[in-house]
């Protein structure tokens, strides 16, 4: 190996680059003319070829090293050096970037006027319009979605015509045409333009060039179902079913499910049962199982209802167990993963699926329990046993509570209580729910002791149950301990800020404690939650009235009657407020509306009668006082007012007949006899002496009675004190009447004239104080389960958020 190694001579150490300018004289082209061998070669046959003026080539046609070809010098070495190109001239400057050649020529501009480019741009625009239409539909703007779909359809037709002119029909983009038509039909259907949607679907279905277009007949069947054209819906569903291959099992099952639902709509339950049974045998699911139970219930087949319920229970949920989301160790990485997936979209979907399954099972059990056995109790017991043996064992307790609700529907209060008492030994959650329901049941029965004991049991079983705390607060409220009741309501709100019953009740409590600003805040918060609650609107108006702000009270009452326009008491309250403000015309309007909806309110009748007397329309006042006389036939006052209106309107004969009728019914009424004497005297009737004699006898008897009372008071001081106390209490009651009652009674006394004794000496006045427009229950605290009994779903609400109402 060392023989090939040549050491550099010492003399060359000073010049590392020496020898590069030396070259072999063989390559010296300047002496070629004197080279005999070269000249001889030129004279050969090869040399007789036309001489090249620019380059010298080898015998093989390859340019010689260092030769000039096309004015470009080839590098001397076999490997071209950096910076040298075949375009570089000998002696030219070093230009590795080729800057001396100038800028590159511009790109060739596209010809936008070419037909192909126009077609491509139009196709892009059609695709954009279809996408915009779909986006608008997903955002809920159906009108815009339809406009975009129509625009895409117009441009697509222009595109097809242009393609036909440029290329052959085979090159038309069928996929684009299909998507445009399908989107247009979908948008027509979304906008309920069913005729146009069907026409568009027909265009797609009839075109043989569209593959698999036959399955769109399902959409056409759906449209006919919405139009309640059930026969055509079934026809198109079956046509679609025939055109879908058997390998697409899921699609076929969905179509068969639609067919079964359509049969139920038409009342063909046997055909529906055939469809649902086939699906349950192939691929059971919750909706089909529930529909099968409904069909068996419709035909009244008890045994098959039981079997269908068992099939529904056996449908697999295909979700993970809750134990998966419980950390098995203290590994921080595992805990982070579990925390991340505990409430992700998959977990939410699992919860929704489980809630839907429980809803179907609960509803089916409520439906069939009363009919599958001789009594509903035995039927519920059978359903409970089936549920206990399934994966839904937690629903058994809910079914038991539903059993209690059914007892309540049947007015069997004792059985409902006994059923709920069975849960006293259950786990804390169920025990708390049952005790809460028992508490409000006893509260509604005004058995506050029992209500209090069960409220305590519910709170002790589950301290975080807002309904239990609310019911406990109600029992304390009933005993008058408003401060303590407010604490329970506050605790219920801390546990569940959406507990509207507790918020309403704490507003009532503050109202009782005369803490009006805090009560108003509570009711305003509640109004933000329950925008159209008549009770809340009334309470706000009432608080403003107590705070002596009639304008705000009127404004909130106006909102109240917009929610309940036929509430006579709210209308009469508005009339009262306008009357207090001196606006008689507005007061009359609302009082009249109140009378129109409820013509038996004596206070409204009294005000309207007095209004017509005050405005000198006595004839119109008669019908109101006659109505009052029908409502209170033992009150002589209203009949005397009727007679007075006849007399003041000039109809003396009718007035006389009315007074005679009153005297027949109330022979000891002094005021009636006085008017009879006066009328008979004015008219000149013979009966005047008879009536005058009766009047004197009654007056004498009255004097004797007063003297006896006076002498009795003088002889018995204790008796007198007792009587004075009684009289004082009576006067207190009269003074406690509302200002409206005093004002109207005074008006009725003064209207006919001070010289008419019956108006000035009326010894019985009607209490005209205002009654709560929403009834006596308005001021009563709301029980936590009151709403649930009304809607037959309180047990579901009590037992957790997993259960849904009917």
């Amino acid at each position: 190996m060392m023989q090939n190694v040549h050491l550099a001579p010492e003399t060359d150490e000073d010049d590392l680059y020496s020898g590069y300018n030396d070259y072999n004289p063989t390559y010296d082209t300047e002496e070629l003319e004197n080279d005999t061998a070269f000249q001889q070669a030129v004279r050969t046959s090869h040399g007789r070829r036309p001489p090249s003026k620019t380059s010298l080539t080898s015998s093989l046609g390859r340019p010689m090293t260092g030769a000039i070809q096309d004015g470009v010098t080839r590098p001397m070495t076999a490997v071209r050096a950096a910076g040298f190109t075949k375009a570089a001239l000998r002696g030219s400057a070093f230009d590795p970037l080729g800057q001396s050649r100038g800028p590159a020529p511009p790109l060739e501009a596209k010809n936008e006027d070419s037909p192909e480019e126009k077609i491509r741009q139009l196709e892009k625009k059609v695709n954009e319009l279809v996408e915009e239409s779909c986006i608008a539909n997903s955002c809920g703007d159906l009108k815009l979605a339809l406009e975009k779909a129509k625009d895409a359809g117009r441009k697509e037709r222009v595109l097809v015509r242009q393609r036909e002119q440029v290329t052959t029909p085979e090159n038309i983009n069928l996929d684009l045409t299909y998507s445009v038509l399908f989107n247009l039909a979908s948008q027509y259907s979304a906008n309920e333009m069913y005729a146009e949607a069907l026409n568009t679907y027909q265009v797609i279905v009839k075109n043989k060039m569209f593959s698999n277009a036959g399955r769109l007949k399902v959409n056409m069947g759906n449209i006919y179902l919405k139009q309640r054209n059930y026969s055509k819906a079934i026809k198109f569903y079956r046509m679609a079913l025939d055109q879908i291959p058997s390998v697409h099992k899921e699609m076929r099952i969905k179509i068969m499910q639609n067919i079964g639902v359509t049969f139920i709509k038409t009342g063909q339950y046997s055909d529906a049962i055939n469809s649902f049974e086939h699906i349950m045998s192939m691929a059971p699911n919750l909706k089909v199982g529930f529909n099968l139970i409904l069909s068996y219930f419709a035909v009244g087949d008890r045994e098959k209802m039981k079997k269908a319920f068992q099939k529904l229970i056996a449908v697999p949920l295909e979700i993970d167990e809750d134990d998966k989301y419980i950390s098995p160790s203290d590994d921080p990485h595992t805990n982070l993963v579990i925390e991340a997936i505990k409430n992700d979209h998959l977990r939410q979907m699992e919860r929704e699926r489980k809630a839907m399954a429980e809803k179907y099972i609960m509803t089916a059990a409520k439906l069939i329990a009363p009919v599958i056995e001789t009594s509903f109790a035995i039927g519920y017991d059978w359903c409970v046993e089936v549920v206990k043996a399934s994966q839904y064992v937690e629903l058994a307790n809910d079914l038991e509570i539903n059993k209690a609700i059914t007892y309540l529907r049947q007015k069997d209060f004792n059985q409902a209580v006994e059923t709920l008492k069975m849960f006293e030994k259950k786990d804390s959650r169920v025990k708390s729910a049952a005790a809460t329901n028992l508490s409000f049941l006893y509260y509604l029965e005004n058995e506050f002791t029992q209500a209090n004991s069960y409220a305590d049991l519910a709170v002790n079983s589950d301290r975080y149950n807002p309904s239990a705390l609310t019911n406990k607060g109600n029992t304390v409220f009933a005993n008058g301990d408003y401060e303590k009741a407010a604490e329970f309501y506050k605790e219920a709100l801390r546990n569940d800020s959406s507990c509207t019953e507790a918020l309403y009740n704490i507003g009532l409590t503050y109202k009782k404690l005369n803490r009006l600003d805090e009560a108003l805040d509570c009711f305003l918060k509640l109004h933000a939650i329950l925008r159209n609650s008549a009770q809340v609107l009334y309470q706000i108006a009432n608080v403003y009235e107590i705070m002596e702000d009639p304008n705000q009270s009127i404004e909130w009452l106006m909102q109240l009657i917009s929610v309940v326009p036929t509430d006579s008491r709210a209308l009469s309250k508005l009339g009262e407020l306008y009357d207090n403000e001196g606006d008689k015309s507005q007061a009359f309007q609302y009082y009249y509306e109140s009378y129109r909806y409820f013509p038996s309110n004596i206070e409204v009748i009294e005000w309207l009668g007095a209004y017509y007397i005050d405005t000198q329309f006595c004839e119109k006042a008669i019908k109101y006082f006659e109505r009052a006389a029908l409502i209170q036939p033992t009150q002589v006052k209203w009949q005397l007012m009727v007679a007075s209106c006849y007399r003041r309107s000039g109809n003396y004969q009718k007035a006389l007949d009315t007074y005679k009728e009153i005297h027949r019914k109330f022979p000891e009424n002094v005021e009636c006899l006085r008017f009879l004497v006066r009328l008979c005297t004015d008219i000149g009737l013979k009966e005047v002496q008879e009536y005058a004699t009766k009047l004197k006898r009654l007056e004498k008897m009255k004097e004797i009675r007063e003297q006896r009372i006076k002498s009795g008071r003088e002889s018995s001081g204790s008796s007198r004190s007792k009587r004075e106390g009684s009289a004082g209490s009576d006067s207190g009651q009269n003074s406690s009447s509302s200002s409206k009652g005093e004002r109207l009674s005074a008006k009725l006394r003064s209207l006919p004239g001070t010289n008419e004794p019956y108006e000035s000496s009326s010894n019985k006045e009607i209490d005209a104080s205002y009654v709560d427009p929403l009834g006596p229950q308005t001021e009563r605290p709301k029980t936590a389960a009151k709403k649930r009994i009304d809607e037959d779903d309180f047990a579901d609400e009590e037992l957790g958020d997993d259960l849904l109402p009917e």
Side-chain angles (χ1 to χ4, degrees), residues 177 191 219 279 316 328 339 395 432 488 502 537 719 746 764 787:
T177 304
N191 284 271
N219 295 14
I279 296 173
E339 191 66 27
L395 293 181
S432 177
F488 281 107
L537 291 170
S719 177
K764 286 188 179 182
K787 172 180 176 291

Side-chain angles (χ1 to χ4, degrees), residues 292-305:
L292 182 59
I293 293 174
L294 290 180
S295 302
Y296 283 136
F297 178 82
V299 298
D301 195 331
R302 296 183 178 183
E303 292 302 321
K304 288 191 176 180
M305 272 190 271

Side-chain angles (χ1 to χ4, degrees), residues 511-558:
K511 191 174 167 185
K512 288 286 186 182
L513 294 170
N514 203 30
R515 293 157 63 176
L516 299 179
D517 290 332
E518 296 176 69
L520 185 61
D521 288 340
C522 291
F523 290 128
L524 288 174
K525 289 179 183 177
L526 196 56
H527 175 65
I529 301 171
L530 307 174
R531 303 296 298 180
N532 294 323
S533 173
Q535 290 178 313
V536 175
L537 291 170
Y538 166 73
Q539 291 295 344
I540 296 173
N542 185 246
V543 171
Y544 274 121
E545 183 186 5
I546 298 172
M547 296 170 69
E548 297 182 355
D549 190 347
N551 293 328
Q552 283 290 338
S553 182
I554 289 172
E555 181 179 343
W556 284 97
L557 282 173
M558 293 293 287

Side-chain angles (χ1 to χ4, degrees), residues 195-297:
E196 292 83 352
L198 289 172
N199 291 335
T200 309
Y201 279 127
Q202 284 286 0
V203 172
I204 302 174
V205 170
K206 289 182 178 181
N207 194 333
K208 301 299 182 182
M209 300 178 69
F210 296 137
S211 60
N212 299 324
R215 65 183 58 190
L216 291 182
K217 291 180 180 178
V218 175
N219 295 14
M220 300 175 72
N222 292 339
I223 292 176
Y224 283 122
L225 185 63
K226 291 178 182 177
Q227 292 179 328
R228 298 184 179 182
N229 192 345
Y230 301 124
S231 60
K232 278 197 173 184
I234 293 172
K235 174 184 175 183
F236 275 88
Y237 285 144
R238 286 178 170 169
M239 290 168 64
L241 192 64
D242 293 339
Q243 296 185 12
I244 292 178
S246 58
V247 293
H248 298 161
K249 293 181 180 179
E250 188 175 352
M251 175 67 75
R252 291 178 63 85
I253 285 174
K254 288 182 179 180
I255 296 175
M256 292 182 68
Q257 184 175 341
N258 286 3
I259 292 173
V261 171
T262 310
F263 277 131
I264 290 180
K265 296 278 189 181
T266 59
Q268 298 172 267
Y269 299 112
S270 58
D271 294 328
I273 289 170
N274 293 334
S275 297
F276 293 141
E277 283 181 342
H278 178 72
I279 296 173
M280 290 299 287
S281 64
M282 297 292 293
N285 65 73
L286 294 168
K287 290 184 179 180
V288 174
F290 181 73
N291 287 335
L292 182 59
I293 293 174
L294 290 180
S295 302
Y296 283 136
F297 178 82

Side-chain angles (χ1 to χ4, degrees), residues 161-179:
R161 286 195 294 269
Q162 290 185 4
R163 276 192 178 278
E164 289 176 348
Q165 293 174 3
V166 175
T167 62
T168 59
E170 290 77 8
N171 293 329
I172 295 175
N173 191 345
L174 291 177
D175 291 338
L176 181 61
T177 304
Y178 180 87
S179 62

